[in-house]
C-alpha cells in the first residue's frame, strides 16, 4: 500500500522508517484492536445511513472489517509497525480486501484524533468494570471475614502502639467501608469515560451531515461528548480514572502493610495460607508475604502512572497533540497492576489464618483497656475525665514500674485505692476484660459486635448494588455490540441497511 494514499506527509517525500518507528504506538494500541474495528463498523454504518457513502461500499467495508475481526479472534491480526498505529492497520484490511477507493471512503468525516480517543474510552470502560468486579470480590472476602470474627478481640492500634481492644470483624469491615468509596470513585470515572467523541473529526467537526448520536448508541456510550475541540483534546477521563486507581491502591497498600506487619513473628496475629506465601532460596524457615509487599510496590507504580498522565496533559495546548499518544501506556499499565493486585488479594484474605489466641493475649497484655477504666471512673464516681485519665495513667505507670499488668487485679485495686478511688475487684475484672470492653463499645459505628454486624449488612447491600450497576453497564455494552454485529450480519447477508438498522 503506498503510504501516500493513507497519510503521507504534505511534502510528499515520505516519512523515514526511523521516524515512523519512533512515532509508532502499536504496543499500546494493540489492546484496542477490537474497539477500533467496532468503531469503524459503527462509523461506516452511520455514513451509509446518512447517505454519505453508498450501501455497496458499506458492504465491502463491513466484509473486510469482519475479516479483521476474525483474524483478531484467531490471534492472527497482522499489525505492521510501519503503519504507525492500530487505526491504519485496521484500515489496511479494508484497503487490501476492498481496494483503496472503498478504504479511502471509510475515513470520511473521521480523523485519527477522534478515532483514538474513542477506542481508548471503549477499552478503558471495560477495564474499569473488571476492576470494579474484582474489588467487589475483595470487599466480600473482607466482609465474610468480618462476619466470622465479629466477636474475636484483637488490639486496636494508633501509632502502631496498643490503643484499645477492637474485633477482627471491626478491622476487616473497616477496609470494606473504605473500599465502598473506591467503588464510587470508579463508577464516577466510568461515567466520565463513557461518552462518545467520535464525529469530532480532527477538531472542528465536519461539513458532512453525520449523526453522532447514532454512532454513540451503536458503541454503547451513554451519550455524545458534544464539543469537538474538547472531545479530541481532553484526556481528563484518563486522569480521573488513574486518580481513582491511585487512591484505590493507597487503600490496598494500607491493607497490605497490615498483612506484612501482622504476619511477622513479633505480631504472630495472622498467618498466610501456604499457597500465598513464598520461601527463601537460602533460609529454609522463611514464609514471606511477597504478595502484600508487591501490592505496596505496585501502588508506587500506579502513583507514577497518575503523575505521568497529569504531567503529560498539563502542557498541551487545545486540540489534539501527539503527546496524547503517550497517555495509553500508563493507563493500561495501571489498569493491569490494579486488576492483578485487587484480584489476588481476595483469595489471600479468604485463606488468612487468624491466630485468635494470640490476638486475645495481645489485646489484654498492654493496658489497652485503660481508657475503659478511666471511663468507668467518670461514669460511676462522676470524676471529670481529665482527672480519671490522670489517675489511671498513674496506676499504669506504677504497674509498669513493678513489671505487672492489669491481670493483677488486686494490685490494680490497691493502686486505685491509693489514688482515693474504690472499685470492687469483681467490677475491675469486668472493666478490664478486652472481650467485655469491646461489647460495651455500642456507639454508632463502634467496635461492639452488634454495631459491626449492622455495618457489615449495610456494606453488603452496597457491594450488591455495585455489582448490579456493573452488570447493567456490561449489558449496555454487550447489547450495543450485538446490535452493531446484527446490523453487520444483516448488511452482509444482502439486507437493505434501512431494514436492519
Ligand atoms: N497514534 C495516535 C495516538 O495514539 C493516533 C492519533 C494520531 N493523530 C495524529 N494527528 N497524528 O494518539
Amino acid at each position: 500500500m503506498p503510504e501516500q494514499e493513507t497519510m503521507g506527509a504534505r511534502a510528499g517525500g515520505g516519512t523515514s522508517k526511523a521516524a515512523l518507528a519512533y512515532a509508532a504506538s502499536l504496543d499500546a494500541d494493540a489492546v484496542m484492536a477490537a474497539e477500533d474495528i467496532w468503531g469503524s463498523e459503527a462509523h461506516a454504518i452511520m455514513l451509509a445511513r446518512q447517505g454519505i457513502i453508498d450501501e455497496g461500499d458499506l458492504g465491502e467495508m463491513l466484509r473486510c472489517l469482519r475479516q479483521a475481526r476474525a483474524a483478531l479472534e484467531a490471534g492472527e491480526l497482522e499489525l505492521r509497525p510501519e503503519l504507525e498505529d492500530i487505526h491504519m492497520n485496521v484500515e489496511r484490511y479494508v484497503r487490501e480486501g476492498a481496494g483503496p477507493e472503498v478504504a479511502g471512503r471509510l475515513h470520511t468525516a473521521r480523523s485519527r484524533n477522534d478515532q483514538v480517543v474513542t477506542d481508548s474510552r471503549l477499552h478503558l470502560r471495560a477495564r474499569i468494570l473488571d476492576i470494579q468486579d474484582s474489588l467487589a470480590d475483595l470487599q466480600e472476602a473482607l466482609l465474610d471475614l468480618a462476619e466470622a470474627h465479629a466477636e474475636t478481640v484483637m488490639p486496636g492500634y494508633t501509632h502502631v502502639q496498643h490503643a484499645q481492644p477492637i474485633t477482627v470483624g471491626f478491622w476487616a469491615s473497616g477496609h470494606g467501608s473504605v473500599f465502598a468509596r473506591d467503588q464510587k470513585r470508579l463508577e464516577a470515572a466510568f461515567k466520565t469515560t463513557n461518552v462518545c467523541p467520535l464525529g469530532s473529526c480532527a477538531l472542528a467537526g465536519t461539513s458532512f451531515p453525520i449523526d453522532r448520536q447514532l454512532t454513540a448508541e451503536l458503541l454503547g456510550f451513554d451519550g455524545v461528548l458534544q464539543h469537538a475541540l474538547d472531545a479530541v483534546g481532553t484526556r481528563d477521563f484518563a486522569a480521573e480514572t488513574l486518580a481513582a486507581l491511585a487512591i484505590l491502591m493507597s487503600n490496598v497498600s494500607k491493607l497490605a502493610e497490615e498483612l506484612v506487619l501482622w504476619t511477622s513473628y513479633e505480631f504472630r496475629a495472622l498467618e498466610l495460607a501456604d499457597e500465598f506465601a513464598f520461601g527463601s532460596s537460602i533460609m529454609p524457615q522463611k514464609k514471606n508475604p511477597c504478595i502484600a509487599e508487591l501490592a505496596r510496590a505496585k501502588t508506587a507504580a500506579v502513583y507514577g502512572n497518575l503523575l505521568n498522565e497529569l504531567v503529560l496533559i498539563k502542557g498541551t495546548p487545545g486540540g489534539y497533540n501527539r503527546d496524547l499518544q503517550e497517555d495509553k501506556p500508563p493507563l493500561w499499565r495501571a489498569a493491569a497492576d490494579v486488576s492483578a493486585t485487587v484480584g489476588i488479594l481476595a483469595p489471600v484474605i479468604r485463606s488468612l489464618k487468624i491466630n485468635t489466641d494470640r490476638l486475645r493475649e495481645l489485646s489484654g497484655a498492654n493496658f489497652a483497656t485503660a481508657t475503659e477504666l478511666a471511663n468507668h471512673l467518670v461514669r460511676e464516681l462522676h470524676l471529670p475525665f481529665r482527672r480519671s485519665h490522670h489517675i489511671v495513667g498513674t496506676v499504669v505507670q506504677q504497674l509498669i514500674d513493678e513489671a505487672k499488668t492489669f491481670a493483677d487485679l488486686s494490685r490494680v485495686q490497691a493502686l486505685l485505692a491509693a489514688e482515693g478511688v474504690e472499685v470492687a475487684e469483681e467490677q475491675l475484672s469486668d472493666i478490664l476484660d478486652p472481650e467485655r470492653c469491646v461489647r460495651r463499645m455500642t456507639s454508632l459505628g463502634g467496635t461492639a459486635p452488634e454495631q459491626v454486624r449492622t455495618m457489615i449488612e449495610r456494606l453488603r447491600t452496597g457491594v450488591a448494588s455495585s455489582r448490579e450497576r456493573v452488570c447493567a453497564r456490561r449489558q449496555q455494552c454487550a447489547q450495543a455490540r450485538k446490535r452493531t454485529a446484527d446490523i453487520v450480519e444483516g448488511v452482509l447477508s444482502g439486507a437493505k441497511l434501512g431494514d436492519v438498522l
Side-chain angles (χ1 to χ4, degrees), residues 290-342:
C290 296
I291 290 180
E293 294 167 273
L294 288 167
R296 285 189 313 209
K298 285 180 193 292
T299 302
V302 175
Y303 288 2
N305 295 147
L306 169 62
L307 199 63
N308 184 338
E309 183 74 35
L310 289 172
V311 177
L312 173 79
I313 58 184
K314 83 167 184 61
T316 50
Y320 176 84
N321 299 272
R322 193 65 180 258
D323 316 42
L324 298 183
Q325 171 170 300
E326 295 295 316
D327 74 329
K328 287 173 286 303
L331 198 51
W332 305 154
R333 266 201 306 272
D337 276 346
V338 174
S339 269
T341 304
V342 174

Side-chain angles (χ1 to χ4, degrees), residues 187-254:
E187 274 173 32
F190 184 98
K191 271 183 108 175
T192 306
T193 299
N194 199 35
V195 286
C196 188
L198 197 62
S200 300
C201 305
L203 77 163
T206 176
S207 50
F208 289 102
I210 58 172
D211 180 350
R212 295 191 60 193
Q213 198 58 47
L214 176 60
T215 38
E217 273 170 31
L218 290 176
L219 294 171
F221 283 113
D222 294 334
V224 164
L225 203 179
Q226 197 168 339
H227 200 293
L229 184 61
D230 174 20
V232 291
T234 189
R235 293 296 182 273
D236 61 0
F237 68 97
E240 183 177 336
T241 304
L242 281 163
L245 295 180
I247 297 170
L248 165 59
M249 286 302 276
S250 77
N251 292 325
V252 165
S253 190
K254 283 161 70 87

Side-chain angles (χ1 to χ4, degrees), residues 25 29 85 87 112-113 116 320 322 324-325 328:
S25 58
D29 285 5
D85 56 32
H87 324 299
R112 286 185 299 160
N113 299 352
V116 69
Y320 176 84
R322 193 65 180 258
L324 298 183
Q325 171 170 300
K328 287 173 286 303

